[in-house]
């Protein structure tokens, strides 16, 4: 079945460490996104990528980095510069509406906790 | 800049009662509008979407939403809720037409729905 796979589901990180969250999709979607979710704040966009080898900052990119070397993969690195990284992270992908899409498809999320 | 307002943080309804979740958006051109549902600790699932055409759209799980351009609203409704509908609901707006991909999806802060017996 096609879909978006995020791993791991739970992740613990010590302060000062970088950590990478995986996101893989087999939907053949061009666009991919990373969102951060905190209670009462909805979803906030961290980074997005419309094509391979290209990505743009979202609203809260500071302390995060991404890469898009393959169409299927869009990993997110939470760096030590991110002051408050404990959150629920969601990856999504989408295609253009003219191709029958427009909506974002989401993975099951990764809950990151800094210990 | 586009924005979405969900004025109700938390709604409680009785099982079998009707439901309406409010969503107001701000966008200068033709918007694409979405409703998503999220169960605790899970990703978001699309309930329905509006791109153009009939302003009353039907979605999964018996939900529907009506686009009212004059009120900049896209409220979600269900005639009779089930206990399994308890979840968090998010409204989102995206850029339509040629602007797709150049502007991101913007989400509201969500409405948590509690169902009581």
């Amino acid at each position: 079945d096609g879909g978006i796979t995020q791993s791991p589901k739970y992740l613990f990180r010590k302060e000062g460490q970088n950590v990478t969250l995986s996101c893989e999709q087999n939907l053949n979607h061009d666009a991919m996104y990373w969102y951060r979710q905190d209670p009462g704040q909805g979803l906030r966009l961290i980074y997005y990528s419309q094509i391979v080898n290209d990505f743009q900052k979202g609203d809260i990119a500071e302390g995060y980095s991404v890469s898009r070397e393959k169409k299927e993969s869009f990993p997110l690195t939470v760096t030590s510069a991110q002051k408050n990284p404990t959150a629920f992270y969601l990856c999504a992908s989408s295609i253009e509406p003219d191709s029958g899409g427009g909506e974002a498809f989401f993975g099951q999320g990764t809950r990151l906790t800094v210990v | 800049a586009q924005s979405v307002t969900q004025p109700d943080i938390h709604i409680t309804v009785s099982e079998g009662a009707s439901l309406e979740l409010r969503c107001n958006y701000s966008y200068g051109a033709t918007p694409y509008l979405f409703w998503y549902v999220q169960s605790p600790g899970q990703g978001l699932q699309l309930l329905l979407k509006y791109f153009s055409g009939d302003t009353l759209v039907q979605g999964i799980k018996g939900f529907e939403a009506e686009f009212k351009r004059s009120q900049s609203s896209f409220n979600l409704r269900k005639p009779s809720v089930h206990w399994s509908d308890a979840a968090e609901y998010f409204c989102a707006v995206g850029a339509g037409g040629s602007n797709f991909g150049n502007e991101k999806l913007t989400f509201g802060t969500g409405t948590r729905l509690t169902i009581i017996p």
Side-chain angles (χ1 to χ4, degrees), chain A residues 17-53:
Chain A
Q17 287 182 337
N18 293 354
V19 64
T20 298
L21 283 60
S22 171
C23 178
E24 303 279 334
Q25 55 102 355
N26 59 4
L27 300 168
N28 200 32
H29 287 175
D30 289 314
M32 296 187 74
Y33 313 82
W34 274 105
Y35 288 90
R36 170 179 172 142
Q37 186 176 24
D38 297 281
Q41 297 195 45
L43 279 70
R44 293 182 291 168
L45 184 66
I46 305 172
Y47 269 97
Y48 64 105
S49 168
Q50 298 171 42
I51 56 173
V52 174
N53 293 322

Side-chain angles (χ1 to χ4, degrees), chain B residues 69-100:
Chain B
R69 185 185 298 274
S70 61
Q71 298 177 20
S72 296
S73 70
F74 189 57
N75 294 348
L76 182 71
R77 300 194 294 250
K78 187 169 185 178
S80 177
V81 298
H82 186 263
W83 64 266
S84 61
D85 293 324
E88 187 137 22
Y89 292 80
F90 292 92
C91 182
V93 63
S98 60
N99 285 324
F100 179 81

Side-chain angles (χ1 to χ4, degrees), chain A residues 33 35 45 48 50 94, chain B residues 1-3 26-29 93-96 98-106:
Chain A
Y33 313 82
Y35 288 90
L45 184 66
Y48 64 105
Q50 298 171 42
S94 67
Chain B
Q2 60 205 53
S3 66
S26 173
Y27 187 69
V93 63
S98 60
N99 285 324
F100 179 81
N102 297 325
E103 295 187 37
K104 60 188 183 296
L105 273 181
T106 298

Side-chain angles (χ1 to χ4, degrees), chain A:
Chain A
D1 288 338
I4 299 178
T5 302
Q6 290 188 242
S7 61
K9 189 170 177 63
Y10 299 96
L11 189 56
F12 296 89
R13 188 196 90 175
K14 292 182 179 179
E15 285 193 26
Q17 287 182 337
N18 293 354
V19 64
T20 298
L21 283 60
S22 171
C23 178
E24 303 279 334
Q25 55 102 355
N26 59 4
L27 300 168
N28 200 32
H29 287 175
D30 289 314
M32 296 187 74
Y33 313 82
W34 274 105
Y35 288 90
R36 170 179 172 142
Q37 186 176 24
D38 297 281
Q41 297 195 45
L43 279 70
R44 293 182 291 168
L45 184 66
I46 305 172
Y47 269 97
Y48 64 105
S49 168
Q50 298 171 42
I51 56 173
V52 174
N53 293 322
D54 188 42
F55 47 83
Q56 290 78 40
K57 293 182 179 180
D59 299 320
I60 56 165
E62 184 176 354
Y64 300 97
S65 66
V66 294
S67 63
R68 187 84 187 276
E69 297 177 0
K70 300 186 299 182
K71 187 175 185 178
E72 302 79 18
S73 179
F74 192 41
L76 173 74
T77 296
V78 184
T79 75
S80 57
Q82 169 51 234
K83 299 303 181 188
N84 185 21
T86 295
F88 191 54
Y89 291 87
L90 287 161
C91 180
S93 69
S94 67
I95 57 173
E96 291 187 2
D98 288 346
S99 301
E103 68 267 31
F105 292 79
F106 284 84
Q108 292 301 296
T110 293
R111 183 164 298 282
L112 172 64
T113 303
V114 174
V115 297

Side-chain angles (χ1 to χ4, degrees), chain B residues 56-75:
Chain B
L56 184 64
V57 294
Q58 303 297 320
I60 62 172
K61 304 185 180 186
F63 285 93
E64 66 178 26
E66 186 171 12
F67 171 59
K68 294 185 177 181
R69 185 185 298 274
S70 61
Q71 298 177 20
S72 296
S73 70
F74 189 57
N75 294 348

